mmCIF file of all heavy atoms in Angstrom:
data_model
loop_
_atom_site.group_PDB
_atom_site.id
_atom_site.type_symbol
_atom_site.label_atom_id
_atom_site.label_comp_id
_atom_site.label_asym_id
_atom_site.label_seq_id
_atom_site.Cartn_x
_atom_site.Cartn_y
_atom_site.Cartn_z
ATOM 1 N N ARG A 98 -3.261 2.013 11.347
ATOM 2 C CA ARG A 98 -2.149 2.223 10.424
ATOM 3 C C ARG A 98 -1.901 3.710 10.224
ATOM 4 O O ARG A 98 -0.792 4.153 10.078
ATOM 5 C CB ARG A 98 -2.496 1.552 9.085
ATOM 6 C CG ARG A 98 -1.504 1.792 8.003
ATOM 7 C CD ARG A 98 -0.397 0.803 8.020
ATOM 8 N NE ARG A 98 0.572 1.088 6.967
ATOM 9 C CZ ARG A 98 1.782 0.531 6.955
ATOM 10 N NH1 ARG A 98 2.124 -0.306 7.904
ATOM 11 N NH2 ARG A 98 2.639 0.800 5.991
ATOM 12 N N ILE A 129 7.300 -0.312 7.234
ATOM 13 C CA ILE A 129 7.358 1.116 6.872
ATOM 14 C C ILE A 129 8.713 1.464 6.262
ATOM 15 O O ILE A 129 9.153 2.619 6.293
ATOM 16 C CB ILE A 129 7.094 2.021 8.103
ATOM 17 C CG1 ILE A 129 8.113 1.767 9.214
ATOM 18 C CG2 ILE A 129 5.671 1.878 8.615
ATOM 19 C CD1 ILE A 129 8.184 2.902 10.212
ATOM 20 N N ASP A 130 9.365 0.479 5.675
ATOM 21 C CA ASP A 130 10.719 0.707 5.110
ATOM 22 C C ASP A 130 10.726 1.806 4.051
ATOM 23 O O ASP A 130 11.685 2.589 3.964
ATOM 24 C CB ASP A 130 11.258 -0.597 4.531
ATOM 25 C CG ASP A 130 10.317 -1.202 3.499
ATOM 26 O OD1 ASP A 130 9.132 -1.377 3.811
ATOM 27 O OD2 ASP A 130 10.750 -1.452 2.361
ATOM 28 N N ILE A 131 9.638 1.915 3.283
ATOM 29 C CA ILE A 131 9.606 2.933 2.214
ATOM 30 C C ILE A 131 9.514 4.329 2.846
ATOM 31 O O ILE A 131 10.200 5.273 2.435
ATOM 32 C CB ILE A 131 8.436 2.676 1.242
ATOM 33 C CG1 ILE A 131 8.569 1.284 0.607
ATOM 34 C CG2 ILE A 131 8.371 3.753 0.160
ATOM 35 C CD1 ILE A 131 7.369 0.845 -0.214
ATOM 36 N N SER A 167 3.762 3.830 -2.326
ATOM 37 C CA SER A 167 3.032 3.659 -1.064
ATOM 38 C C SER A 167 2.200 4.907 -0.765
ATOM 39 O O SER A 167 2.711 6.037 -0.808
ATOM 40 C CB SER A 167 4.046 3.439 0.066
ATOM 41 O OG SER A 167 3.546 3.903 1.299
ATOM 42 N N VAL A 168 0.918 4.711 -0.443
ATOM 43 C CA VAL A 168 0.045 5.845 -0.113
ATOM 44 C C VAL A 168 0.560 6.564 1.127
ATOM 45 O O VAL A 168 0.780 7.769 1.128
ATOM 46 C CB VAL A 168 -1.403 5.343 0.105
ATOM 47 C CG1 VAL A 168 -2.302 6.440 0.654
ATOM 48 C CG2 VAL A 168 -1.977 4.788 -1.201
ATOM 49 N N GLY A 169 0.820 5.807 2.170
ATOM 50 C CA GLY A 169 1.249 6.431 3.435
ATOM 51 C C GLY A 169 2.599 7.100 3.326
ATOM 52 O O GLY A 169 2.809 8.190 3.869
ATOM 53 N N ASP A 310 -8.917 -2.068 -1.577
ATOM 54 C CA ASP A 310 -9.914 -1.897 -0.510
ATOM 55 C C ASP A 310 -11.316 -2.309 -0.946
ATOM 56 O O ASP A 310 -12.232 -2.338 -0.122
ATOM 57 C CB ASP A 310 -9.949 -0.438 -0.024
ATOM 58 C CG ASP A 310 -8.708 -0.095 0.767
ATOM 59 O OD1 ASP A 310 -7.920 -1.010 1.050
ATOM 60 O OD2 ASP A 310 -8.512 1.086 1.075
ATOM 61 N N ILE A 332 -1.585 -6.157 -3.875
ATOM 62 C CA ILE A 332 -1.078 -5.097 -2.991
ATOM 63 C C ILE A 332 -0.686 -5.619 -1.622
ATOM 64 O O ILE A 332 0.405 -5.343 -1.126
ATOM 65 C CB ILE A 332 -2.120 -3.953 -2.856
ATOM 66 C CG1 ILE A 332 -2.481 -3.375 -4.227
ATOM 67 C CG2 ILE A 332 -1.612 -2.869 -1.897
ATOM 68 C CD1 ILE A 332 -1.363 -2.628 -4.931
ATOM 69 N N ARG A 375 -12.451 -4.040 5.779
ATOM 70 C CA ARG A 375 -13.166 -4.246 4.497
ATOM 71 C C ARG A 375 -13.676 -5.676 4.402
ATOM 72 O O ARG A 375 -14.717 -5.919 3.793
ATOM 73 C CB ARG A 375 -12.255 -3.918 3.301
ATOM 74 C CG ARG A 375 -11.630 -2.548 3.364
ATOM 75 C CD ARG A 375 -12.654 -1.424 3.438
ATOM 76 N NE ARG A 375 -11.975 -0.133 3.620
ATOM 77 C CZ ARG A 375 -12.595 1.012 3.823
ATOM 78 N NH1 ARG A 375 -13.892 1.036 3.913
ATOM 79 N NH2 ARG A 375 -11.919 2.136 4.002
HETATM 80 C C1 EPZ B 520 -3.465 3.040 2.683
HETATM 81 O O1 EPZ B 520 -2.696 2.193 3.527
HETATM 82 C C2 EPZ B 520 -4.903 2.871 3.138
HETATM 83 N N1 EPZ B 520 -5.026 3.282 4.538
HETATM 84 C C3 EPZ B 520 -5.322 1.414 2.996
HETATM 85 O O2 EPZ B 520 -6.703 1.337 3.343
HETATM 86 C C4 EPZ B 520 -5.163 1.005 1.534
HETATM 87 O O3 EPZ B 520 -5.471 -0.382 1.411
HETATM 88 C C5 EPZ B 520 -3.713 1.246 1.089
HETATM 89 O O4 EPZ B 520 -3.367 2.632 1.311
HETATM 90 C C6 EPZ B 520 -3.513 0.921 -0.386
HETATM 91 O O5 EPZ B 520 -4.372 1.695 -1.155
HETATM 92 C C7 EPZ B 520 -5.112 4.596 4.833
HETATM 93 O O6 EPZ B 520 -5.058 5.449 3.968
HETATM 94 C C8 EPZ B 520 -5.295 4.942 6.287
HETATM 95 P P1 EPZ B 520 0.536 1.463 1.269
HETATM 96 P P2 EPZ B 520 -1.075 2.258 3.496
HETATM 97 O O7 EPZ B 520 1.628 2.098 2.037
HETATM 98 O O8 EPZ B 520 -0.640 3.660 3.334
HETATM 99 C C9 EPZ B 520 3.576 -2.180 1.395
HETATM 100 C C10 EPZ B 520 -8.579 0.566 4.520
HETATM 101 O O9 EPZ B 520 -9.191 -0.511 4.503
HETATM 102 N N2 EPZ B 520 4.474 -1.226 2.050
HETATM 103 O O10 EPZ B 520 0.169 1.996 -0.070
HETATM 104 O O11 EPZ B 520 -0.583 1.482 4.636
HETATM 105 C C11 EPZ B 520 2.381 -2.516 2.292
HETATM 106 O O12 EPZ B 520 2.721 -3.541 3.215
HETATM 107 C C12 EPZ B 520 -7.069 0.555 4.504
HETATM 108 O O13 EPZ B 520 -9.125 1.698 4.536
HETATM 109 C C13 EPZ B 520 5.793 -1.610 2.290
HETATM 110 O O14 EPZ B 520 6.216 -2.726 1.969
HETATM 111 O O15 EPZ B 520 -0.799 1.455 2.145
HETATM 112 C C14 EPZ B 520 1.359 -2.957 1.292
HETATM 113 O O16 EPZ B 520 1.613 -4.301 0.936
HETATM 114 C C15 EPZ B 520 -6.497 -0.852 4.484
HETATM 115 N N3 EPZ B 520 6.626 -0.733 2.909
HETATM 116 C C16 EPZ B 520 1.621 -2.045 0.096
HETATM 117 O O17 EPZ B 520 2.973 -1.580 0.259
HETATM 118 C C17 EPZ B 520 6.204 0.522 3.280
HETATM 119 O O18 EPZ B 520 7.023 1.296 3.822
HETATM 120 C C18 EPZ B 520 0.677 -0.844 0.018
HETATM 121 O O19 EPZ B 520 0.846 -0.115 1.199
HETATM 122 C C19 EPZ B 520 4.861 0.891 3.033
HETATM 123 C C20 EPZ B 520 4.016 0.017 2.406
#
Side-chain angles (χ1 to χ4, degrees):
R98 175 87 181 165
I129 59 161
D130 56 307
I131 301 172
S167 151
V168 171
D310 289 352
I332 303 293
R375 306 302 175 186

